[in-house]
Amino acid sequence: MHSARLPGTLWLCLFAGLLLAPAARSIEERPTISITLASRGDVKQKPEGAEPASLAFGDVIRDSTEVRTGGDGFCSMAFVDDGSQLKLRPRTAVYLRAARDSETSLARTISLRLGELLTEAKRQQGATVVKTATAVASVKGTLFWTVVNGDGGTRILTLEGEVEVRSTLLDSVFQVPAGSSGLFAADGTVRIGELDPADVPVWQPEPRPEPDEGEPGRGEGERGGPGAGPAPPSPPGKPGGRDGETMGGPGEPPPGEPGGEGAGASRGWEFGPFQVQLNASVGAAVLDGTTYQAYSIRPDIGIGKLGIGLDLPLYFDSQGNLREEDWDDADDILTKFYYVRWARPDDPFYVRAGALDDVTLGYGLIMRRYTNALEWPQVRRIGGRIKLSYRNFTLQTMFNDFSELDEPGVIGGRLTYEANLKLPVVFGATVVHDGNQFLGAKDGDGDGVPDAVDQFPDRNDDDHISWLRGTIHDDGIIDQLIHSGDIPDINNRPPMIQEVDTADVTIWGVDVGVPVLRRETMSLWLYGQAAQIVDYGRGYTVPGAQFRWGPFRASAEYRIFEKEFTPDFFDMSYEVERVSIETGADTTLYITKSSRLDRIPSAQGYYADAGITLFDLVDFYASYQYMNYGDNEADQDTVETFTVPNKSLYGRVAVDPTFIPKIGLLEGYYYQPHTDKLFDTGTDGTTVGYRVGFELTPSILLVADHATIYRHGTDIKVTTVETVFRF
């Protein structure tokens, strides 16, 4: 009998398998070394045996992993056993190894292959060394930079403590104390000397650009005072304004600033059944903390009664790369529809879905110039409008967003009836309800924590905090990282919006209007209206009048408001005022717009506006409100009194610059909310500005908007420039 023999190749395979078995461990089985505290720009990790992958905030780094930063990359990480940190500047590569030193600590080896590495050892538990081709530095409660240049030499720059460094070429140990630098050259030369501050790298990742604050002069939660008064014009740049959104009773003239959405619409073309209007613009946009050059094409396409408004943005980064995530799946196609409509608002049957612009119900005491697109395109809401007229009845409904219908969010309706008495009389009733004002707190990652106070954007805060505590077992290390600002204060996390009771608000009202004169070139309406904010106060406007005659238009009304009432509660900025967020040392409060009503006193006064267009050369519009509040008791227990500013003013003048060479746009504006003294720049929110459009070609304008906003006694200069194409 012959003994069984294994082929030589099989023995070789078995031997190789035994050698490679330790490396065959799954990555998940390797000990966790650190957790990523910050990652910006091009940062990648490559665990041994795996493909490179982007390294993001909160990712863990395990044994046998290379971390590499690109030309714009910054990365910082904290060791999970003692909270010590490593910070990598651009063009740096390190290889991390770790072995269990005890149940609570790791022995770590950090191999710096190229670049600049800051080591910050805190209450160190395990042994840690930083290795390069020419030096091995022992980390013992110190703060120092290790720099490896292209020539292979190593520099140790000690900021705190003392670093013990062994030269691998001389096999000798040197001490580099605080305020000193050590050079360990590739030829074996060692030099220890005084640290030159100019040689110390700066750990300072570029801050993310702050998001646009929207309308100049009005921060979140600032508005909603008594008699909110005239509002500045809708923000420019929206692709709206194509089919008109003002909704009143039969024959009612548009309230507020005349002209409605149709003002300033671009010229168009007709191709058989197609009607096309086209606008385009060039500017800048900040999305997800990155600044892009933005090109936007905004066509309005009509096919019979069907109309489609599109917003086709193209965002290019500083390298000229298109932001592809706006175009890479089917959902992106849907977001390019600004709205879809059937018919026009003055038709008997009208439907619109998508963005809503300048929506006014009736004479505007409850809802005036509301829009769900103030934050477009960063926040996209798909709202809806329906109008149905039958004989003398007209029914109108609206809602702000399909995604909020189950709460519901903002939903409103209006019913009018025109009676044929000796004079036509239009009776109207309006109701608007917001089922949960807390929905105004934006929550991009859906974890229940508003974006403004989200400790871990793009992650579920509760899950990530639990994971952090499970990864870093020592509460002392967590407290240390919180104190140093390396992680948010997870011991005092903001409350989830679901933990706060819903806050609804309902306003209903009635009105009556008489068209004293109703002709094509001239109209005069007299009206009165009343509204009740449920559980708060009432407001009345009696009498009111609106007049149009050719190029001239005007309106005026006398206002009587009980305490805890404000007009046009649902206005242009409502979506950003539904809820404001106030943070303290250990508290976060969500404050709804309706909760601010209890400090509004009673008032009486008037509102008036007027505008005129002269010979198609000059267009002037102004609105003014005066409310008499006097001294009002704010608190019956303390008998505290206060005075509310009682005047508001808005004005705009635009000139046709045809007679001025190379100028295609020329206008100025002034806005002053809630003041005791007109034209006093000490009033917070006062805004003075002008816009000038320079003709680069007959169809291209370079528009400069210069505004001065006065806030807290200082003037803030804001200048924006964009290129506008006229077709």
Side-chain angles (χ1 to χ4, degrees), residues 178-249:
S180 302
S181 67
L183 172 64
F184 299 83
D187 61 1
T189 301
V190 176
R191 286 199 297 268
I192 309 295
E194 184 177 352
L195 176 63
D196 185 349
D199 292 337
V200 179
V202 178
W203 166 254
Q204 185 61 50
E206 296 180 3
R208 295 190 178 202
E210 293 296 325
D212 294 338
E213 293 184 2
E215 181 185 343
R218 182 182 297 178
E220 184 171 307
E222 287 186 6
R223 201 158 175 269
S234 298
K238 298 288 190 298
R242 297 170 176 129
D243 63 307
E245 281 293 312
T246 298
M247 299 186 72

Side-chain angles (χ1 to χ4, degrees), residues 140-310:
K140 297 178 181 179
T142 52
L143 177 66
F144 68 97
W145 282 95
T146 307
V147 179
V148 175
N149 296 322
D151 60 6
T154 302
R155 286 188 299 154
I156 303 294
L157 312 175
T158 307
L159 306 180
E160 297 177 8
E162 187 174 66
V163 182
E164 183 180 278
V165 185
R166 181 174 63 86
S167 169
T168 57
L169 299 179
L170 301 179
D171 197 22
S172 300
V173 175
F174 300 85
Q175 304 298 325
V176 184
S180 302
S181 67
L183 172 64
F184 299 83
D187 61 1
T189 301
V190 176
R191 286 199 297 268
I192 309 295
E194 184 177 352
L195 176 63
D196 185 349
D199 292 337
V200 179
V202 178
W203 166 254
Q204 185 61 50
E206 296 180 3
R208 295 190 178 202
E210 293 296 325
D212 294 338
E213 293 184 2
E215 181 185 343
R218 182 182 297 178
E220 184 171 307
E222 287 186 6
R223 201 158 175 269
S234 298
K238 298 288 190 298
R242 297 170 176 129
D243 63 307
E245 281 293 312
T246 298
M247 299 186 72
E252 293 180 20
E257 179 179 350
E261 278 188 279
S266 62
R267 295 176 180 176
W269 303 270
E270 292 191 9
F271 306 96
F274 297 91
Q275 304 91 41
V276 179
Q277 292 180 339
L278 186 62
N279 283 308
S281 67
V282 178
V286 178
L287 301 174
D288 300 329
T290 302
T291 301
Y292 294 90
Q293 183 72 21
Y295 300 83
S296 185
I297 302 172
R298 302 178 182 127
D300 178 285
I301 304 170
I303 310 171
K305 285 186 174 294
L306 178 65
I308 301 174
L310 302 177

Side-chain angles (χ1 to χ4, degrees), residues 257-525:
E257 179 179 350
E261 278 188 279
S266 62
R267 295 176 180 176
W269 303 270
E270 292 191 9
F271 306 96
F274 297 91
Q275 304 91 41
V276 179
Q277 292 180 339
L278 186 62
N279 283 308
S281 67
V282 178
V286 178
L287 301 174
D288 300 329
T290 302
T291 301
Y292 294 90
Q293 183 72 21
Y295 300 83
S296 185
I297 302 172
R298 302 178 182 127
D300 178 285
I301 304 170
I303 310 171
K305 285 186 174 294
L306 178 65
I308 301 174
L310 302 177
D311 183 42
L312 309 176
L314 301 172
Y315 300 111
F316 294 90
D317 63 19
S318 59
Q319 305 300 317
N321 300 312
L322 177 68
R323 180 180 151 98
E324 296 181 356
E325 54 262 47
D326 296 322
W327 296 90
D328 57 2
D329 59 46
D331 289 341
D332 290 334
I333 302 301
L334 295 177
T335 66
K336 303 305 180 286
F337 287 85
Y338 191 68
Y339 66 79
V340 178
R341 61 169 172 81
W342 179 262
R344 299 279 183 176
D346 54 354
D347 289 330
F349 178 68
Y350 166 70
V351 178
R352 171 166 168 154
L356 309 178
D357 299 296
D358 207 3
V359 181
T360 298
L361 293 179
Y363 300 95
L365 187 59
I366 298 174
M367 176 177 284
R368 183 191 297 266
R369 304 187 70 193
Y370 167 83
T371 176
N372 69 349
L374 184 64
E375 301 161 284
W376 182 281
Q378 284 80 8
V379 179
R380 300 173 185 264
R381 299 181 180 89
I382 302 177
R385 297 291 307 282
I386 298 175
K387 173 192 170 184
L388 178 63
S389 295
Y390 179 71
R391 294 184 178 178
N392 292 353
F393 289 92
T394 298
L395 174 66
Q396 304 151 0
T397 63
M398 63 78 60
F399 59 89
N400 69 326
D401 195 352
F402 273 102
S403 66
E404 296 185 13
L405 280 177
D406 56 343
E407 292 284 346
V410 179
I411 184 170
R414 174 171 171 79
L415 178 66
T416 61
Y417 173 73
E418 182 168 354
N420 295 314
L421 306 176
K422 291 184 178 181
L423 284 175
V425 180
V426 178
F427 299 94
T430 302
V431 61
V432 182
H433 174 73
D434 186 349
N436 188 0
Q437 294 170 81
F438 290 119
L439 294 175
K442 314 301 182 298
D443 180 16
D445 55 11
D447 63 355
V449 181
D451 295 342
V453 291
D454 198 330
Q455 294 183 324
F456 302 98
D458 302 324
R459 296 174 182 266
N460 183 293
D461 278 24
D462 266 1
D463 292 347
H464 196 64
I465 290 172
S466 298
W467 176 83
L468 272 174
R469 294 191 182 280
T471 303
I472 305 175
H473 303 285
D474 190 331
D475 289 342
I477 296 175
I478 290 178
D479 292 341
Q480 179 178 295
L481 293 173
I482 292 172
H483 181 72
S484 64
D486 292 306
I487 64 173
D489 186 359
I490 61 176
N491 295 328
N492 293 289
R493 72 166 183 82
M496 298 174 65
I497 207 71
Q498 297 94 324
E499 298 171 355
V500 184
D501 291 337
T502 59
D504 65 325
V505 61
T506 303
I507 309 178
W508 61 270
V510 294
D511 56 78
V512 58
V514 178
V516 178
L517 184 64
R518 186 160 45 174
R519 296 179 181 173
E520 184 175 348
T521 59
M522 182 182 296
S523 65
L524 173 62
W525 282 71

